[in-house]
Amino acid sequence: MTQDLVTVTIDGLQVQVPKGTSIIEAAKQAGVLVPHYCYHPSLPSPAVCRMCLVEVEKAPKLMPACVTTVAEGQVVHTDSPQARKARTGVLEFLLINHPLDCPICDQAGECELQDYVFQEGQAGTRYGDYAKRYNPVEEFGPDVLYVANRCILCTRCVRFMDDVAGAPVLNVSERGDRAHIGIDEGQLLDHPWAGNVVDLCPVGSLISRDFLHKARAWDLDKTASVCTGCSQGCNVTLDTRDNLVVRIRPRANLEVNRHFICDTGRMNYRWMNRGDRIEAPLAREGGHHVATDWEPALARLGGLARKGGSVVLLASAGASVEALTQLRALAGQGRVTAAVQVPLAEQEEPLQGVSGLALRKERAPNADGARLVGYGTDWAGAVRAAAGADLVLLLDVTLTDAEAALVGGAAAVVVLGTTLEQVLPVAELVLPVTTVAEESGTFVNRDLRVQRFQQARTAPGMARPAWWVAAGAAGADLGSAAEAFAAAAATVPALGGVTYADLGLNGRAVQSPGRRADGVPA
Amino acid sequence: MGYPHPSHPKEQPVLSKHFGDAGARTFDGWVKRGGYAGLKKALGMTRDQVIDEIKASGLRGRGGAGFPTGMKWSFMPKEVTKPHYLVCNADESEPGTFKDREIIRWTPHQLIEGCAIGAHAIGAERIYVYIRGEFTQEHKILVAAVEEAYKGGALGPSAFGSGRRIDLVVHRGAGAYICGEETAMMNSIEGRRGNPRIKPPFPAVAGLWASPTTINNVETLSAAGHIITHGAEWYKAFCVGNPKSTGTKLFSVCGHVQKPGNYEVVMGTPMRDLIFDMCGGMRPGRTLKAVIPGGSSVPIMTAAEIEGCAMDYEGIVAKGSMLGSGGMIVMDDSTDIVYQVMRLARFYAHESCAQCTQCREGTAWTTKILERILAGQGRREDLDLLLDLADNMTGKTICVLSDSCAAPVVSAIRKFPAEFDAYISRQKQPVMVTV
């Protein structure tokens, strides 16, 4: 592909970037971060914060790097005395009315004002004795609070609602230093994607009530993961504190979710911290479940699987590709019925400004991965088949009473489960498996994009990844998630040749014959 | 005529010829006084011919920046692929400026004629006259005149039978100074918040509704009719030695002169003549202290700098200030410069649109420091702080409101340091700062 490239020099480093690139993005290519507030790569640029003013040789004055496009031979100085003074000036102006309440501010530690002031602000204030601007905290919506005093008027939130969400309920009210973010009369910030304004806010002005005073940013561990809320497969970060997931935030992936996630996905983490977990393998002995060790449990499972006959696999569409593959392998080559349960919502919740991004009807992360591995979606049919099966394997599913009654008709039932409510009294074996937060693995989203998620917290008790359980029972020797993926890639045609290295942390789309135009395999 | 004073012999009334003459307000009255001849002539010319005539006349923007009008019009695309718009800036809100108001009040058809000529020259079918919201009487007069102009055939689907559609919409502002900035004005007309836009794109490329747009001041457009009627040579002859500044200019003189008001003089007229002859000089027993020559946004001039100052674009720049809008604020020796500068800064702090950080915070902070100095609590370092803030506020924002606040502050500190010192050293009684 030939593209018009221009060569620019930024802080002495030469870079080649496509024509039309902004200086701020070109600088990123050169490894130079130009400090900025209003600019965001997923929003239109208003150039209002004036933080990214840089010196461009031959320009009459400092230029905003966010809206100035590169030109051939341009020489840019982001750290010249002039540019530095302008930035220091902006920081000083931003600070005169900004409360020094960092010790109680949720944003502290991940605050761009804090960071840049630390980097190049002044230690003292010249503002003197004046009182700072005051406005009370406002409730913008069910989860979003607006702390006006901290606001630096970058307008990212206004632009997100106007230009991305297409629900223009936020505005800049008033003028001059009385200005603040307002919400239209009678409106609520309750758009299904509204929570993104909290992430977009560079300071602690828009904050999440859900996360309010929950944890300090520097105490959080951050783990790359994939949202389990629907088949979109938004890239997320799981923030954990003391082994508890306390927040989900979007992780940038321009191909999938840009910089956004929906509120449903954002709030979809409490179950990861559930305490009512199965913590040890349970084997049925004389009418009771008795805790046992993995070795006998796996041996017993292997024995059941080797018996042959009809096997029914009932799995969650939230199970990983690796788990589904190993479970399918364990079931053998006989009469096998495999199905995943895909919760369906009535409607999609699209994000208007980003094409191809929506909270999807299929409310599970790996429905398409399951299809690729060979699982069907006729859940009811599979449950009926389970009634007369020789062996039923359940993977992380919670059955209704009626379904449990049908499954109870099988000759043998083995539960690979996470929570105690998944334990069936009739089960021969109940084996504790890990959740998405406790293991590493891959999901395939609706666009057949294979994406990795990583382990964010330790597993409770003796719980193990389901692929480890199934592989162990089958006698396969898999030592790591990477090996489990390699094994899946070797058996699932669509994944042929794909490696962890290919996937990186942003995933890779694969091809599958017979895939319909709407992204759902036929 | 002349209003409120009869024209002074040193004036050159062209635009103001009928000020005070209510008969010139009507369509018939305007035609009787030779009006609409320029429009009729222009409609018989091509776009380029009109633009060339204006270029040859040397007419420059009268709103403040002084950009050559003919050149501005020539930036509009020759091919009309999207609607072209002419916006007339009648949002006259610059403190000390009240010339456009008089044009609209006495000679609304003079403006309508100029607008129509401008629209023809840039290939626009629609004109928006953005009139300051506080101009209630002028709005009424203008709307009535527009109605008459439609009836009289000057506006409408075929202006004076030329086949050229020219429509004019009068749009009222809602009291924001910043809407006088051309890109904020376009936002305001579009129904958005009146925030200035980033340039590029320039209005001639993507202005109103992302279409090619030209914005001209009332006085600029009003001059167009006379130029087309009498020819570029006639207009260019209004000149005192500096060929770059031609024509006549309305100066709104206010403050401590005997006869404040609008005075129309040939470009390059000595400032001394205007203040001491036409305006009758200072009040008895008073001497001239300072002048802000071009609306509140330009640097202050001292009495000494007024000597030998020619009132044209280059002449005032040579004396360290700017012609601006021609709103001249004259201050005699009774004036407290610190207080006046505080009032100006407060105005800008009130009117800042709040987009750019330096302007939003800087204008308000500057005001607070000046208030503190007036209250007798100033510190020596406050002056350096004011100058440093001014430096941080100049040349760094989207529009020049921030610069406009800084300019008078810097010039006052530089030119009248003793006045600031008097407060800071507690030699002068503190002043109660009221609204």
Side-chain angles (χ1 to χ4, degrees):
Chain A
M1 193 172 77
T2 54
Q3 212 174 7
D4 275 356
L5 292 175
V6 288
T7 307
V8 290
T9 307
I10 298 172
D11 290 354
L13 299 157
Q14 260 197 7
V15 278
Q16 280 204 319
V17 291
K19 212 174 166 180
T21 306
S22 63
I23 291 178
I24 208 167
E25 287 297 332
K28 280 184 195 169
Q29 301 292 313
V32 174
L33 176 67
V34 183
H36 59 272
Y37 291 114
C38 68
Y39 172 78
H40 189 281
S42 283
L43 298 174
S45 295
V48 295
C49 74
R50 315 308 285 179
M51 186 68 185
C52 70
L53 291 175
V54 293
E55 197 178 326
V56 178
E57 282 184 14
K58 295 189 189 120
K61 50 184 187 178
L62 297 175
M63 306 296 282
C66 63
V67 291
T68 310
T69 48
V70 291
E72 181 60 41
Q74 201 174 48
V75 181
V76 178
H77 304 283
T78 73
D79 213 27
S80 69
Q82 242 193 321
R84 196 170 251 279
K85 177 168 192 300
R87 274 205 299 276
T88 314
V90 171
L91 287 170
E92 180 178 39
F93 284 132
L94 290 176
L95 276 182
I96 60 174
N97 277 310
H98 190 87
L100 294 180
D101 63 352
C102 309
I104 57 151
C105 177
D106 275 339
Q107 193 83 5
E110 51 192 18
C111 171
E112 289 167 46
L113 188 58
Q114 226 179 20
D115 291 350
Y116 292 138
V117 169
F118 189 73
Q119 189 176 305
E120 50 193 305
Q122 297 164 341
T125 177
R126 298 192 289 176
Y127 191 52
D129 326 316
Y130 310 113
K132 289 179 189 260
R133 168 177 59 227
Y134 170 77
N135 280 302
V137 174
E138 277 196 60
E139 295 182 6
F140 272 1
D143 186 51
V144 181
L145 296 177
Y146 176 56
V147 186
N149 295 343
R150 296 176 187 153
C151 183
I152 61 167
L153 272 303
C154 73
T155 70
R156 280 188 195 175
C157 54
V158 177
R159 281 173 282 137
F160 174 78
M161 293 311 293
D162 284 4
D163 300 307
V164 182
V169 297
L170 297 182
N171 59 57
V172 177
S173 294
E174 268 293 350
R175 286 197 304 240
D177 73 333
R178 291 96 54 214
H180 57 89
I181 301 301
I183 185 158
D184 292 0
E185 199 60 41
Q187 296 290 323
L188 267 182
L189 191 62
D190 56 0
H191 187 273
W193 293 77
N196 289 295
V197 300
V198 174
D199 305 328
L200 290 169
C201 184
V203 295
S205 188
L206 289 168
I207 51 178
S208 159
R209 200 195 298 261
D210 183 71
F211 186 66
L212 191 66
H213 298 166
K214 225 182 227 180
R216 306 317 320 244
W218 51 87
D219 284 332
L220 297 176
D221 292 313
K222 292 167 188 291
T223 307
S225 189
V226 173
C227 180
T228 57
C230 77
S231 56
Q232 178 74 39
C234 291
N235 291 201
V236 297
T237 300
L238 298 185
D239 288 354
T240 48
R241 164 88 207 264
D242 275 5
N243 216 27
L244 291 173
V245 181
V246 291
R247 180 170 70 173
I248 294 184
R249 296 234 277 181
R251 186 162 56 87
N253 186 336
L254 300 187
E255 305 287 322
V256 180
N257 55 307
R258 290 202 67 90
H259 298 85
F260 310 120
I261 55 170
C262 71
D263 289 7
T264 303
R266 188 179 296 274
M267 295 304 161
N268 184 23
Y269 68 87
R270 282 196 164 71
W271 62 269
M272 298 176 191
N273 299 329
R274 277 177 74 159
D276 55 341
R277 294 288 296 273
I278 307 164
E279 296 199 357
L282 306 174
R284 208 175 150 77
E285 306 285 356
H288 296 287
H289 279 137
V290 178
T292 178
D293 211 341
W294 273 112
E295 216 168 301
L298 292 182
R300 189 155 163 189
L301 174 57
L304 287 170
R306 276 189 298 274
K307 265 190 197 163
S310 60
V311 182
V312 175
L313 304 181
L314 296 174
S316 156
S320 67
V321 168
E322 292 79 354
L324 293 171
T325 308
Q326 291 306 322
L327 200 66
R328 181 66 190 76
L330 176 66
Q333 301 305 312
R335 282 176 289 140
V336 180
T337 307
V340 285
Q341 187 179 31
V342 184
L344 283 178
E346 290 200 347
Q347 59 182 39
E348 296 198 332
E349 300 286 1
L351 183 60
Q352 194 181 300
V354 183
S355 70
L357 180 55
L359 168 61
R360 303 295 178 180
K361 286 182 192 170
E362 285 192 326
R363 295 291 163 88
N366 199 30
D368 284 289
R371 290 181 185 111
L372 291 183
V373 175
Y375 287 71
T377 47
D378 178 13
W379 181 255
V383 171
R384 278 196 302 276
D390 293 309
L391 174 63
V392 178
L393 294 171
L394 299 170
L395 175 56
D396 197 17
V397 290
T398 305
L399 300 178
T400 63
D401 289 348
E403 287 168 343
L406 283 170
V407 168
V413 179
V414 175
V415 171
L416 284 74
T418 54
T419 58
L420 293 174
E421 69 186 351
Q422 293 177 348
V423 175
L424 294 181
V426 298
E428 286 273 315
L429 279 167
V430 177
L431 305 172
V433 296
T434 49
T435 67
V436 63
E438 297 150 5
E439 64 186 27
S440 294
T442 53
F443 291 142
V444 179
N445 83 348
R446 66 193 303 277
D447 300 316
L448 298 194
R449 190 181 188 84
V450 188
Q451 306 191 101
R452 286 174 61 189
F453 56 87
Q454 295 187 309
Q455 182 177 355
R457 62 190 298 256
T458 54
M462 300 165 71
R464 293 287 183 272
W467 58 260
W468 182 90
V469 176
D477 182 23
L478 291 182
S480 68
E483 285 176 29
F485 179 74
T491 52
V492 179
L495 302 181
V498 181
T499 66
Y500 254 23
D502 295 335
L503 297 181
L505 285 177
N506 276 153
R508 187 187 128 175
V510 296
Q511 298 290 317
S512 170
R515 187 170 160 232
R516 294 205 312 261
D518 59 2
V520 179
Chain B
M1 294 295 288
Y3 183 85
H5 317 292
S7 290
H8 189 278
K10 287 192 175 175
E11 280 191 69
Q12 181 64 54
V14 174
L15 303 172
S16 63
K17 195 172 170 189
H18 304 291
F19 281 10
D21 174 6
R25 245 180 223 157
T26 61
F27 185 81
D28 292 341
W30 187 244
V31 170
K32 207 178 288 170
R33 285 163 182 78
Y36 285 118
L39 175 56
K40 282 178 186 157
K41 194 171 160 191
L43 288 169
M45 298 158 72
T46 64
R47 280 178 60 184
D48 283 340
Q49 283 170 334
V50 176
I51 291 174
D52 288 344
E53 194 72 18
I54 298 294
K55 272 187 183 166
S57 76
L59 178 66
R60 291 167 66 177
R62 302 295 196 228
F67 194 82
T69 307
M71 197 187 299
K72 194 184 224 183
W73 289 1
S74 71
F75 291 157
M76 293 292 277
K78 296 286 164 246
E79 295 260 321
V80 182
T81 52
K82 273 176 160 185
H84 288 193
Y85 295 104
L86 177 70
V87 176
C88 170
N89 188 340
D91 190 39
E92 186 181 52
S93 347
E94 181 79 5
T97 312
F98 43 89
K99 60 187 180 69
D100 298 341
R101 176 182 193 155
E102 292 302 301
I103 292 175
I104 299 169
R105 186 196 295 186
W106 297 109
T107 55
H109 288 285
Q110 180 170 231
L111 174 60
I112 295 168
E113 181 177 1
C115 285
I117 292 170
H120 172 55
I122 63 166
E125 290 195 342
R126 176 167 285 211
I127 304 156
Y128 285 91
V129 178
Y130 189 98
I131 186 167
R132 179 177 177 182
E134 289 88 336
F135 287 177
T136 49
Q137 192 197 356
E138 290 72 18
H139 174 253
K140 237 183 251 175
I141 291 169
L142 183 60
V143 167
V146 168
E147 218 167 281
E148 277 190 310
Y150 269 102
K151 278 191 200 138
L155 299 173
S158 173
F160 288 134
S162 64
R164 278 279 283 121
R165 170 178 277 281
I166 301 178
D167 287 316
L168 190 152
V169 178
V170 180
H171 186 101
R172 293 187 73 184
Y177 168 72
I178 193 58
C179 289
E181 198 278 343
E182 60 179 18
T183 56
M185 178 168 289
M186 296 190 298
N187 273 343
S188 181
I189 293 172
E190 289 180 16
R192 300 165 195 271
R193 183 179 162 96
N195 285 353
R197 299 178 183 174
I198 319 161
K199 290 187 265 189
F202 290 94
V205 177
L208 202 52
W209 289 296
S211 303
T213 304
T214 295
I215 300 103
N216 287 125
N217 173 258
V218 168
E219 189 184 350
T220 316
L221 288 168
S222 297
H226 301 281
I227 294 170
I228 298 299
T229 307
H230 302 292
E233 290 304 317
W234 167 84
Y235 192 76
K236 218 165 76 177
F238 296 124
C239 175
V240 186
N242 173 11
K244 287 182 183 166
S245 291
T246 60
T248 62
K249 172 86 187 86
L250 278 166
F251 286 92
S252 317
V253 187
C254 66
H256 298 143
V257 288
Q258 301 256 23
K259 292 195 294 177
N262 279 299
Y263 294 87
E264 187 174 10
V265 296
V266 173
M267 281 284 190
T269 300
M271 192 179 285
R272 226 196 128 72
D273 285 10
L274 175 62
I275 297 173
F276 290 96
D277 292 348
M278 297 176 234
C279 298
M282 300 293 104
R283 297 177 295 174
R286 292 288 175 190
T287 54
L288 179 64
K289 182 188 242 176
V291 173
I292 305 182
S296 61
S297 306
V298 303
I300 299 177
M301 295 171 75
T302 62
E305 286 168 330
I306 278 132
E307 297 304 326
C309 178
M311 288 197 301
D312 58 35
Y313 296 106
E314 288 75 21
I316 301 185
V317 168
K319 293 290 185 176
S321 188
M322 284 185 286
L323 179 73
S325 62
M328 194 175 275
I329 305 168
V330 183
M331 295 176 256
D332 70 17
D333 56 347
S334 70
T335 309
D336 182 338
I337 293 288
V338 183
Y339 191 85
Q340 294 313 319
V341 167
M342 183 278 292
R343 290 293 291 117
L344 286 181
R346 184 187 280 178
F347 170 79
Y348 289 108
H350 185 258
E351 297 297 339
S352 165
C353 84
Q355 274 193 113
C356 301
T357 308
Q358 291 94 333
C359 180
R360 178 180 69 240
E361 307 292 344
T363 52
W365 189 2
T366 299
T367 309
K368 283 180 182 173
I369 297 170
L370 290 167
E371 286 173 349
R372 177 166 74 188
I373 292 173
L374 283 165
Q377 289 157 15
R379 301 160 194 168
R380 228 8 84 202
E381 58 269 27
D382 279 352
L383 297 185
D384 284 338
L385 178 55
L386 281 171
L387 291 175
D388 191 48
L389 294 187
D391 180 52
N392 284 342
M393 288 163 65
T394 303
K396 301 193 172 58
T397 47
I398 292 177
C399 80
V400 292
L401 192 143
S402 181
D403 307 52
S404 300
C405 177
V409 174
V410 171
S411 55
I413 294 176
R414 294 255 158 83
K415 295 177 184 177
F416 300 93
E419 303 228 356
F420 290 87
D421 279 347
Y423 280 110
I424 292 172
S425 62
R426 318 282 191 266
Q427 283 163 358
K428 195 166 175 183
Q429 280 294 310
V431 173
M432 179 79 109
V433 176
T434 51
V435 176

